Amino acid sequence: MIRLQNVSKTYFSKGKDAGVEALKTVDLHVPKGQIHGVIGLSGAGKSTLIRCVNLLERPTTGSVTVDGQELTGLTGDALNQARHRIGMIFQHFNLLTSRTVFANVALPLELMGMKKAEIAERVTPLLELVGLADKARQHPAQLSGGQKQRVAIARALASRPRVLLCDEATSALDPHTTGSILELLRDINQQLGLTILLITHEMEVVKSICHRVSLISGGELVEEAEVGDFFTAP
Ligand code: ADP
Ligand code: ADP
């Protein structure tokens, strides 16, 4: 479902000859229906890696294939279309504070040009799915961190993606709330068959929901294993 082949990313900044090599020849394959975790220390390249999957960052070299479509060759409308099949959630939720919960989830559908009635038909069940049907008219400021992340998850699912990218999605949450968000992600994986790629610096996240895990260090994937094997001492 997700395939990175030989992906490298170098950040160049003005006035400096040598760029920062954030990713070096990364190969990663996540089959349909899997929850795959990438774990590593701060600065290891996790964020760059996950942002290359939906081309928020353009790889310097290499190819990115999601749901059978190669993305690095796409621009403009074609890239936007492809991104409908890739949802993403973030550490700090990235909700629009001026919009209600309902309107946050509706936003991607409005941008797709969907009609109002159809949007409501799509948004209401999604709010039920994440357990926030009674919060539709509230604003993000009235919600807890865990509730905000639930809104973000509903928004990410609105375009009915095949893949969900989670960028440190529980890092701003307390352990109890983290557990409930991970449970929701596991349900979504099982019920919708959604493939999930997540990055984290927390072992517990990987242990509790991932099927497979890759370790990233200095921009390179240095190890990959089934989660059960990864955490078993040799
Ligand atoms: P992580 O998510 O694991 O903390 P990042 O992908 O954010 O790692 O960063 C990997 C490396 O790339 C770091 O050395 C970081 O400083 C550098 N980097 C990240 N983003 C940029 C950028 N926009 N410009 C220059 N260097 C960057
Ligand atoms: P529907 O009859 O609206 O298709 P489903 O029973 O298929 O409802 O799905 C239940 C909820 O999950 C609905 O809110 C639907 O929008 C959502 N949903 C179904 N499949 C996906 C998917 N692949 N990605 C995101 N959301 C989905």
Side-chain angles (χ1 to χ4, degrees), residues 55-85:
L55 261 67
L56 283 182
E57 294 290 353
R58 224 165 234 286
T60 309
T61 60
S63 84
V64 177
T65 307
V66 176
D67 197 17
Q69 188 174 28
E70 208 290 318
L71 302 183
T72 63
L74 303 179
T75 54
D77 277 352
L79 180 57
N80 280 335
Q81 285 295 328
R83 281 185 173 140
H84 293 161
R85 280 176 282 137

Side-chain angles (χ1 to χ4, degrees), residues 121-127 129 156-162 192-194:
E121 268 173 34
R122 186 78 72 96
V123 171
T124 303
L126 281 172
L127 290 178
L129 181 77
L157 297 181
S159 62
R160 298 202 171 158
R162 309 296 308 277
L192 307 179
L194 209 66

Side-chain angles (χ1 to χ4, degrees), residues 133-169:
D134 58 333
K135 305 278 187 228
R137 290 163 177 280
Q138 305 222 333
H139 283 79
Q142 297 168 278
L143 304 180
S144 69
Q147 289 170 334
K148 284 180 198 165
Q149 194 60 291
R150 285 170 186 272
V151 177
I153 290 169
R155 179 182 58 183
L157 297 181
S159 62
R160 298 202 171 158
R162 309 296 308 277
V163 164
L164 181 64
L165 306 177
C166 307
D167 183 349
E168 297 279 3

Side-chain angles (χ1 to χ4, degrees), residues 78-126:
L79 180 57
N80 280 335
Q81 285 295 328
R83 281 185 173 140
H84 293 161
R85 280 176 282 137
I86 309 172
M88 190 166 186
I89 58 173
F90 304 89
Q91 179 173 2
H92 296 295
F93 325 123
N94 298 8
L95 300 177
L96 294 179
T97 52
S98 64
R99 283 186 159 230
T100 64
V101 165
F102 183 97
N104 266 281
V105 179
L107 182 64
L109 303 176
E110 287 171 16
L111 295 175
M112 286 162 70
M114 194 179 275
K115 293 203 178 69
K116 266 195 172 164
E118 209 180 331
I119 289 176
E121 268 173 34
R122 186 78 72 96
V123 171
T124 303
L126 281 172

